[in-house]
């Protein structure tokens, strides 16, 4: 059994995922919960399904994917796990809020847990997520791929028929091109793509129809 609950969060309509299996252990990916009702939706789902959160993961360090990490630390004791290249971005999330969004946030600095690298694995219950670094949208962007279920959580690297922005100071179009080539090469066509924004897709559709991946 492999369950994925998507909770759309914050004004940028970011996708937060709660992923669990038959053991009732779960991971939370990209908790962008900003409004109180979004925090409540995450916690209500965890409580209703009697889940045990064991990991809080981030595909990258942008604020809209990490609005909820301080609240999750206090509610569930989870520290955000992120690729090392985006650690500084999360640690200075207040400056990011001010510079990118013109926002002043009063929350304390997020607690950083494990720093991830390409090829690392994250385990929960009977499942394993494989870390694939996909720089481009940010230096430390990554995706989490579950081989057993053929599911990839792609953050802001790959959307349905689109890709993440590369016009931020920490972005690189050259890196994005190389990451997309790697994704096309390494993820099977039947892989289900669960992105950081918007609807899901499949690698087969992306390879066939996306202007960025079409072969």
């Amino acid at each position: 059994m492999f369950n994925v609950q998507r909770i759309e969060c914050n004004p940028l309509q970011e996708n937060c995922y709660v992923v669990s299996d038959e053991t009732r252990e779960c991971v939370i990916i990209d908790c962008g919960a900003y409004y109180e009702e979004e925090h409540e939706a995450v916690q209500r789902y965890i409580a209703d399904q009697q889940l045990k959160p064991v990991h809080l993961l981030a595909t990258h360090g942008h604020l809209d994917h990490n609005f909820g990490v301080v609240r999750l630390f206090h509610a569930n004791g989870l520290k955000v796990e992120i690729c090392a290249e985006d650690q500084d971005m999360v640690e200075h999330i207040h400056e990011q809020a001010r510079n990118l969004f013109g926002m002043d946030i009063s929350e304390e600095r997020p607690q950083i847990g494990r720093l991830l690298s390409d090829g690392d694995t994250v385990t929960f219950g009977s499942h394993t997520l494989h870390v694939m670094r996909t720089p481009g949208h940010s230096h430390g962007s990554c995706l989490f791929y579950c081989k057993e279920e053929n599911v990839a959580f792609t953050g802001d690297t790959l959307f349905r028929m689109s890709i993440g922005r590369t016009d931020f100071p920490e972005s690189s179009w050259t890196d994005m091109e190389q990451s997309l080539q790697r994704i096309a090469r390494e993820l099977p066509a039947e892989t289900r793509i669960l992105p950081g924004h918007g609807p899901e897709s499949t690698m087969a559709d992306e390879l066939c129809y996306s202007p960025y991946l079409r072969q």
Side-chain angles (χ1 to χ4, degrees):
M1 181 179 69
F2 187 79
N3 296 317
V4 179
Q5 177 73 9
R6 180 177 71 92
I7 301 170
E8 192 174 277
C9 295
N10 67 59
L12 294 182
Q13 298 178 304
E14 180 268 342
N15 292 330
C16 168
Y17 297 101
V18 182
V19 188
S20 60
D21 65 15
E22 69 281 353
T23 70
R24 299 195 184 277
E25 287 193 345
C26 73
V27 298
I28 303 165
I29 300 175
D30 285 351
C31 189
Y34 178 71
Y35 298 110
E36 183 65 30
E37 58 265 31
E38 295 165 354
H39 289 285
E40 291 176 355
V42 172
Q43 294 300 328
R44 183 167 57 251
Y45 178 77
I46 290 171
D48 288 349
Q49 300 299 313
Q50 298 180 319
L51 301 179
K52 177 185 177 182
V54 293
H55 292 286
L56 169 59
L57 306 176
T59 58
H60 63 293
H62 283 150
L63 180 63
D64 57 319
H65 292 250
N66 292 279
F67 271 124
V69 297
V70 171
R71 291 283 295 272
L72 273 177
F73 172 71
H74 289 297
N76 306 103
L78 299 177
K79 297 180 180 180
V80 64
E81 302 173 43
I82 191 167
C83 280
E85 292 81 2
D86 274 7
Q87 176 184 5
D88 186 68
M89 193 184 302
V90 175
E91 288 184 334
H92 295 86
I93 205 164
H94 299 81
E95 289 92 332
Q96 186 186 158
R98 187 164 49 250
N99 295 335
L100 290 182
F101 298 95
M103 298 173 62
D104 286 316
I105 57 175
S106 58
E107 289 184 330
E108 64 200 73
R109 172 182 281 192
Q111 297 287 323
I112 304 295
R114 179 185 176 191
L115 295 178
L116 303 171
S117 300
D118 187 64
D120 283 350
T121 58
V122 178
T123 60
F124 69 101
S126 60
H127 287 82
T128 300
L129 297 175
H130 298 262
V131 179
M132 180 190 294
R133 276 202 65 223
T134 55
H137 182 65
S138 70
H139 297 313
S141 287
C142 72
L143 64 78
F144 300 104
Y145 174 54
C146 181
K147 290 182 179 179
E148 301 101 320
E149 305 291 340
N150 263 330
V151 173
F153 300 89
T154 56
D156 284 5
T157 297
L158 181 63
F159 305 133
R160 179 169 176 79
M161 304 300 142
S162 187
I163 61 173
R165 291 173 57 177
T166 58
D167 58 342
F168 293 121
E170 66 276 7
S171 302
S172 166
W173 172 246
T174 299
D175 287 347
M176 178 66 85
E177 284 187 306
Q178 294 175 350
S179 293
L180 294 173
Q181 291 170 7
R182 182 182 181 189
I183 289 171
R185 185 172 62 248
E186 296 188 16
L187 293 186
E190 61 270 23
T191 303
R192 181 182 173 195
I193 301 298
L194 299 180
H197 301 267
E200 67 178 80
S201 187
T202 65
M203 277 304 300
D205 282 352
E206 297 303 311
L207 292 170
C208 185
Y209 301 114
S210 172
Y212 301 99
L213 287 179
R214 188 169 54 228
Q215 296 182 332

